[in-house]
């Protein structure tokens, strides 16, 4: 069996870090098992689905290093859903109902008042052909419900079927179908609901494992019953915990919460997001992981916590800095060029430990090659004058700084911070920064002398 997973976002907004967690868990699971990853746009919500969102989602996944083996759109698969609906109707498992929303709400209210669960009473099953003809003559159009199974064979008998599965994240699970209403699969206008289309697609695409958020646990019993009604084997299920904001608020792509595109535009590394999204809320330490292959080796679905996990964006910068500090010049050369930096490998190796993001290198390039305002305290003016005179002759090399400061120490008696800091401030305009041994050759003799003047 070839492991096949899917990520099925609805293109009604930008994906956030919570959606990305699901995408990454699926991608890593497929990578670890030599399987396939399918991107499926659940775009049957015609009013809110947008092509620009679909393109943005694809771009975000590509940036993260997730490259689908195939891409599908539910809007192209209507004939498949219609055929599945007809199959269920022919088997007596999809039945027409004519209640209005108000009528259903009144029934639910009455059931609650009597202390009963507000489960649909299957009244539509008692309708005769004449009853249905009369209702349709009144202008009512049916919506279609799936007949959940029970042990008795009689659809009107009390349901006593527990649907069970061994969840890869949550362990053994069981849901009593008696606690659920027969779900509506097809609306009055003929459009299909997510529960139905998702199962039909998963069966048709031979999805072997469905890895998704725990908010879909309640759907699972119905969907397992649907798979079996359609003659398909249900996939293995894994329901991971959900990420929240640092304040415990749920993430919503419609509100743009922690959208991947905004984090990407902020200059963060994709592996900083991937590391935090995957490792948060697990039994493993959250650390900066260099590649998706390494992260796949760490994947442990059973080690994911059963409670929600807070995603703190502040941790991203810490992880990002660790990754940036390890980036080779070859890995960043194009990005540095795009920033107008042409200092080559010596420059990058000199400044990368002082960069949280690659783009931070631009500020240090301005220090090296731009016009700065030297910081020279009044009490240090004579010292800076001496420093200018004692700058070693010849080419400025990584050894120049040590030779220069040794000469200054002997001439002025200064040491420690009093020796080094005035020079750093005069040459860079900052009281912190990259190692001066490496920075000095990049600044060059002419700029050194000009700044000390």
């Amino acid at each position: 069996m070839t492991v096949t997973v899917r990520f099925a976002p609805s293109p009604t907004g930008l994906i956030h870090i919570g959606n990305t967690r699901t995408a990454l868990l699926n991608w890593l699971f497929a990578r670890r098992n030599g399987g396939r990853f399918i991107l499926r746009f659940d775009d049957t919500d015609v009013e809110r689905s947008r092509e620009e969102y679909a393109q943005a989602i694809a771009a975000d996944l590509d940036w993260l290093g997730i490259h689908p083996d195939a891409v599908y759109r539910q809007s192209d698969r209507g004939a498949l859903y219609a055929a599945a609906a007809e199959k269920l109707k022919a088997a007596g498992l999809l039945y027409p109902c004519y209640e209005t929303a108000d009528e259903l709400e009144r029934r639910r209210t009455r059931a609650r008042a009597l202390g009963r669960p507000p489960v649909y009473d299957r009244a539509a099953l008692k309708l005769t052909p004449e009853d249905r003809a009369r209702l349709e003559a009144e202008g009512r159009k049916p919506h279609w419900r799936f007949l959940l199974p029970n042990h008795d064979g009689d659809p009107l008998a009390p349901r006593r079927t527990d649907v069970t599965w061994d969840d890869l994240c949550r362990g053994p699970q069981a849901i009593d179908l008696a606690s659920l209403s027969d779900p509506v699969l097809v609306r009055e206008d003929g459009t299909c609901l997510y529960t139905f289309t998702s199962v039909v697609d998963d069966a048709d695409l031979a999805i072997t494992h469905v890895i998704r958020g725990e908010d879909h646990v309640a759907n699972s019993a119905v969907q397992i019953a649907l798979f079996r009604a359609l003659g398909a084997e249900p996939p293995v299920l894994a329901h991971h915990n959900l990420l929240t904001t640092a304040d415990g608020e749920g993430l919503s792509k419609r509100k743009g919460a922690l959208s991947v595109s905004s984090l990407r535009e902020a200059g963060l590394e994709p592996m900083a997001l991937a590391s935090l999204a995957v490792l948060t809320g697990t039994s493993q330490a959250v650390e900066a992981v260099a590649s998706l292959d390494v992260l796949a080796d760490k994947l442990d679905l059973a080690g994911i916590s059963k409670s929600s996990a807070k995603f703190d964006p502040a941790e991203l910068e810490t992880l990002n800095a660790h990754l940036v500090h390890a980036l080779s010049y070859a890995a960043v050369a194009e990005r540095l060029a795009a920033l107008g930096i042409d200092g080559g490998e010596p420059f990058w190796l000199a400044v990368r430990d002082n960069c949280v993001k690659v783009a931070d290198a631009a500020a240090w390039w301005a220090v090296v090659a731009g016009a700065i305002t030297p910081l020279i305290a009044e009490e240090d003016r004579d010292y800076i004058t001496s420093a200018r005179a004692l700058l070693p002759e010849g080419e400025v090399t990584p050894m120049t700084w040590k030779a220069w400061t040794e000469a200054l120490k002997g001439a002025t008696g200064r040491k420690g911070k009093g020796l080094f800091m005035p020079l750093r401030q005069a040459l860079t305009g900052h009281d912190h920064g990259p190692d001066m041994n490496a920075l000095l050759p990049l600044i060059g003799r002419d700029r050194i002398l000009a700044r000390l003047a």
Side-chain angles (χ1 to χ4, degrees):
M1 177 186 68
T2 299
V3 166
T4 304
V5 299
R6 48 77 165 176
F7 176 55
S10 57
T12 56
L14 300 173
I15 56 171
H16 53 62
I17 200 68
N19 309 130
T20 304
R21 178 177 174 81
T22 300
L24 283 165
L25 289 174
N26 277 279
W27 173 255
L28 297 173
F29 187 82
R31 290 290 285 268
R32 184 165 183 165
N33 291 281
R36 301 177 70 244
F37 176 96
I38 290 174
L39 172 60
R40 188 182 73 221
F41 289 110
D42 288 2
D43 58 352
T44 53
D45 186 340
V46 178
E47 291 185 1
R48 292 190 294 117
S49 293
R50 297 286 184 273
E51 175 59 26
E52 58 265 32
Y53 288 136
Q55 293 180 9
I57 290 170
D60 286 341
L61 294 179
D62 183 71
W63 176 71
L64 285 164
I66 296 175
H67 310 300
D69 294 291
V71 180
Y72 296 91
R73 296 172 184 265
Q74 286 193 329
S75 56
D76 297 332
R77 299 167 65 79
L80 195 68
Y81 310 139
E86 289 304 316
K87 181 176 181 177
L88 293 177
K89 290 177 184 178
L93 298 178
L94 196 61
Y95 63 96
C97 304
Y98 295 86
E99 297 92 347
T100 65
D102 287 342
E103 289 170 344
L104 290 171
E105 182 55 37
R106 284 197 295 272
R107 289 187 192 178
R108 287 190 288 267
T109 300
R110 185 163 59 250
R112 293 189 191 98
L114 295 173
R116 297 198 299 261
V119 175
Y120 180 63
D121 58 9
R122 290 179 164 173
L125 286 174
K126 302 175 184 178
L127 295 175
T128 66
E130 292 76 20
D131 292 331
R132 292 195 290 270
R134 175 177 50 80
L135 291 168
E136 291 181 13
E138 293 175 3
R140 297 201 187 198
K141 293 183 178 180
H143 54 272
W144 296 80
R145 289 182 183 269
F146 173 57
L147 189 64
L148 292 172
N150 60 65
H151 287 314
D152 301 283
D154 179 0
L156 298 181
R159 282 166 280 167
R160 300 197 304 274
T161 298
D162 280 348
V163 174
T164 63
W165 71 94
D166 190 10
D167 197 286
L168 295 184
C169 292
R170 302 170 66 84
Q173 301 291 301
I175 293 180
D176 180 9
L177 290 181
S179 65
L180 305 176
S181 294
D182 288 342
V184 176
L185 300 189
V186 183
R187 300 182 183 92
E188 289 86 348
D189 62 2
T191 57
C192 300
L193 279 80
Y194 161 82
T195 298
F196 185 41
T197 57
S198 181
V199 168
V200 173
D201 281 333
D202 288 345
D204 179 68
L205 299 174
I207 302 300
T208 62
H209 295 74
V210 171
I211 304 170
R212 58 189 179 183
E214 63 185 2
D215 51 332
H216 289 286
V217 168
N219 301 332
S220 296
V222 169
Q223 291 186 332
I224 289 172
L226 259 175
F227 275 107
R228 290 172 176 155
L230 292 169
E233 182 65 25
V236 178
L237 298 177
H239 293 90
H240 63 78
N241 60 356
L242 300 180
L243 297 181
T244 69
T245 65
D247 297 327
E249 183 181 352
L251 303 179
S252 169
K253 68 174 179 287
R254 293 172 199 165
K255 296 180 181 179
L258 295 173
S259 70
V260 175
S261 59
S262 67
L263 296 172
R264 171 160 53 101
E265 290 166 6
L268 293 169
E269 298 299 307
M271 282 310 302
L273 269 71
S275 299
L276 191 54
V278 171
L279 297 176
T280 294
T282 73
S283 58
Q284 301 190 55
V286 176
E287 59 182 349
V289 180
S291 71
L292 290 178
D293 286 335
V294 175
L295 196 56
D297 289 337
K298 290 178 169 288
L299 182 66
D300 177 17
L301 295 178
I304 295 176
S305 170
K306 294 179 177 61
S307 57
S308 60
K310 292 183 179 180
F311 183 91
D312 187 356
E315 293 185 63
L316 279 172
E317 292 207 345
T318 301
L319 297 177
N320 207 76
H322 280 294
L323 292 168
V324 168
H325 296 170
L327 288 174
S328 67
Y329 174 66
V332 299
E334 289 186 7
R335 283 191 277 174
L336 295 179
L339 292 168
I341 297 171
D342 60 6
E345 185 172 24
F347 169 78
W348 173 244
L349 296 181
V351 305
R352 66 179 178 181
D353 286 350
N354 291 88
C355 297
V356 173
K357 304 171 184 175
V358 171
D360 294 344
W364 293 114
W365 182 243
V367 167
V368 166
I372 70 158
T373 301
L375 297 179
I376 302 176
E378 188 63 36
E379 62 270 21
D380 290 326
R381 290 192 176 275
D382 289 344
Y383 174 66
I384 294 301
T385 299
S386 298
R388 190 173 190 275
L390 289 172
L391 178 65
E393 294 293 333
E395 180 186 0
V396 179
T397 71
M399 303 302 296
T400 300
W401 176 254
K402 182 178 181 180
W404 190 17
T405 53
E406 287 292 334
L408 275 167
K409 181 179 179 180
T412 65
R414 289 199 180 204
K415 58 184 179 179
K417 187 175 181 180
L419 176 67
F420 302 116
M421 186 60 69
L423 280 179
R424 177 181 287 278
Q425 291 177 326
L427 292 171
T428 70
H430 296 277
D431 59 6
H432 67 281
D435 187 281
M436 292 301 293
N437 290 294
L439 210 57
L440 209 61
L442 297 168
I443 296 172
R445 172 173 293 277
D446 290 344
R447 279 190 288 266
I448 291 171
L449 294 174
R451 292 174 186 183
L452 295 179

